[in-house]
Amino acid sequence: MLNQIYADITGKEIFIAEELQAPAVSSALYGAVAAGEEAGGFKDIATASQKLGRLKKESVKPNLENKKVYDQIYEYFKRVHDFFGVTDKDIMSDLKALKVIAHE
């Protein structure tokens, strides 16, 4: 379900790692890159991923109808953020102060 949400929000196809311990494999890939080619590793993470990374055949494709809704939610989020963080910077401080007064 989470991968479907990621796909819907980003509008991009999500490919699933074959390994259950994908973070551990990723750490090993970065270790191989840190070792470098001269020590038997790889020159960059893209090369290491191509050689050692494996993906499942199936992927999660975005639902574009859901993406439209997520895009609308994001626009509302930006408006709320800008109101509380840009337009009226003091509103949260004022509300916290009011809370203190109300509890006295």
Side-chain angles (χ1 to χ4, degrees), residues 51-95:
K51 295 283 187 181
L52 301 176
R54 293 188 307 272
L55 298 174
K56 291 183 178 183
K57 288 185 179 17
E58 66 272 3
S59 63
V60 180
K61 293 181 176 37
N63 177 318
L64 298 180
E65 290 301 313
N66 289 349
K67 178 162 180 33
K68 289 178 190 175
V69 174
Y70 282 118
D71 287 347
Q72 288 177 320
I73 292 169
Y74 182 64
E75 289 304 316
Y76 284 116
F77 172 81
K78 288 192 311 187
R79 286 174 53 195
V80 169
H81 165 271
D82 288 349
F83 179 78
F84 286 110
V86 178
T87 305
D88 194 347
K89 295 178 192 167
D90 297 327
I91 194 165
M92 292 308 289
S93 298
D94 294 346
L95 287 170

Side-chain angles (χ1 to χ4, degrees), residues 35-49:
E37 289 180 290
E38 52 283 344
F42 297 97
K43 67 178 180 172
D44 56 41
I45 196 65
T47 304
S49 297

Side-chain angles (χ1 to χ4, degrees), residues 21-31 45:
Q21 298 298 326
V25 172
S26 294
S27 294
L29 292 178
Y30 277 101
I45 196 65

